[in-house]
Amino acid sequence: MDFHAALETDFARLVEVSAGNLDRPVPSCPGWTVDDLDRHVAAVYLHKIACIRDKTEPADWPPAELAQEETQSQLRRAYRELTDELAARADDEPAGNWYAPDPTVGFWRRRMAQETVIHRIDAELAAGVPSVDVPADLALDGIDEVLRIFLEYSAATWHDEFVEDLRVGGGRSVALAAGGRRWLVAIGPDMLTVAEGDGPAAAEVTGSPDALLRWLWRRSDDATVTITGDSIAVAALRDLLRTATQ
């Protein structure tokens, strides 16, 4: 899919919704205002530029001088520099990354599109304006990303942070279905795996691609999806996602 087009669309919406609402609290990011949200997005963009240029993650972040720059100017500057950097690079070029299986520019191209769509939803929630639906292709890609990279990889790599909730899962599986795709998350007792297919599950969460993506990122509640089966397994998944995406 065209991650650059998605990034461009959602960045423009983020800027549009932020205008005039910088002091509003962001309900999906407790303790943040929209100004804090925009400053975070700018810092993330600039961090990824450093990862791509230096081919390693910066040792000290963020630089002190970032705090001195006006938020909206910094956000726009960071976006311009990020998109220029991505446009000049091939997907298979190396880049610094916490995700060891894919230390490439392509990983960050995808990640920045997904990062931006979630944070423009945050801005919409803060501003109290109708939220634009996430296109199905971007939402399905985002579902796959959060389950396989944030959840499965993180639970294996930083296992100690997930142990308690894995035990609650007790080896049960939760299926997640949207847009003709179905993921199966097997939870605990000692590990977590994600597969795509028609296997049996103790519980199932279904919805539109947009609704399921928001639910997985905890930008919406259970009323926005359909949940059937074992509520304990679903609660364990929800807690694991909180740890994986914080």
Side-chain angles (χ1 to χ4, degrees):
M1 65 168 295
D2 188 342
F3 290 118
H4 176 75
L7 173 59
E8 183 175 48
T9 297
D10 287 309
F11 178 78
R13 177 64 172 168
L14 171 65
V15 171
E16 173 192 4
V17 174
S18 295
N21 293 303
L22 295 175
D23 61 345
R24 285 180 176 255
V26 183
S28 45
C29 303
W32 280 10
T33 63
V34 173
D35 188 79
D36 295 322
L37 176 71
D38 288 356
R39 187 165 289 278
H40 165 77
V41 174
V44 168
Y45 288 170
L46 294 168
H47 181 270
K48 303 326 167 215
I49 294 165
C51 289
I52 293 168
R53 287 179 180 169
D54 300 338
K55 298 179 175 54
T56 187
E57 291 192 275
D60 297 311
W61 194 266
E65 59 267 23
L66 289 188
Q68 308 306 314
E69 188 176 0
E70 191 273 329
T71 304
Q72 297 306 299
S73 296
Q74 185 179 100
L75 179 61
R76 288 177 171 85
R77 174 178 70 84
Y79 175 75
R80 289 193 304 270
E81 292 181 10
L82 174 69
T83 52
D84 286 349
E85 193 69 32
L86 290 173
R89 305 284 185 171
D91 279 352
D92 60 357
E93 288 188 49
N97 196 341
W98 53 267
Y99 182 63
D102 187 16
T104 66
V105 171
F107 175 90
W108 289 127
R109 197 184 308 280
R110 175 198 201 187
R111 178 84 284 282
M112 290 303 93
Q114 296 295 346
E115 176 89 3
T116 305
V117 72
I118 294 301
H119 286 320
R120 70 89 166 154
I121 291 170
D122 291 329
E124 290 168 333
L125 291 170
V129 298
S131 184
V132 176
D133 283 353
V134 181
D137 58 348
L138 182 65
L140 289 169
D141 181 78
I143 293 166
D144 193 74
E145 184 203 43
V146 72
L147 292 177
R148 295 184 185 276
I149 294 177
F150 281 88
L151 186 58
E152 184 178 35
Y153 179 78
S154 295
T157 304
W158 299 284
H159 185 263
D160 289 350
E161 298 179 26
F162 296 84
V163 167
E164 185 175 341
D165 291 324
L166 288 173
R167 288 174 181 161
V168 172
R172 289 167 287 197
S173 294
V174 178
L176 302 121
R181 297 178 66 178
R182 185 175 185 268
W183 293 262
L184 201 64
V185 182
I187 305 170
D190 299 314
M191 60 183 295
L192 182 148
T193 61
V194 177
E196 195 166 349
D198 298 324
E204 186 152 357
V205 183
T206 61
S208 69
D210 171 82
L212 188 56
L213 178 70
R214 292 170 191 256
W215 185 86
L216 289 167
W217 276 100
R218 296 174 294 111
R219 265 58 182 187
S220 64
D221 59 25
D222 290 351
T224 62
V225 293
T226 300
I227 299 174
T228 57
D230 190 330
S231 61
I232 294 175
V234 174
L237 174 62
R238 194 77 154 160
D239 288 339
L240 287 160
L241 285 163
R242 180 179 295 107
T243 302
T245 59
Q246 64 186 359

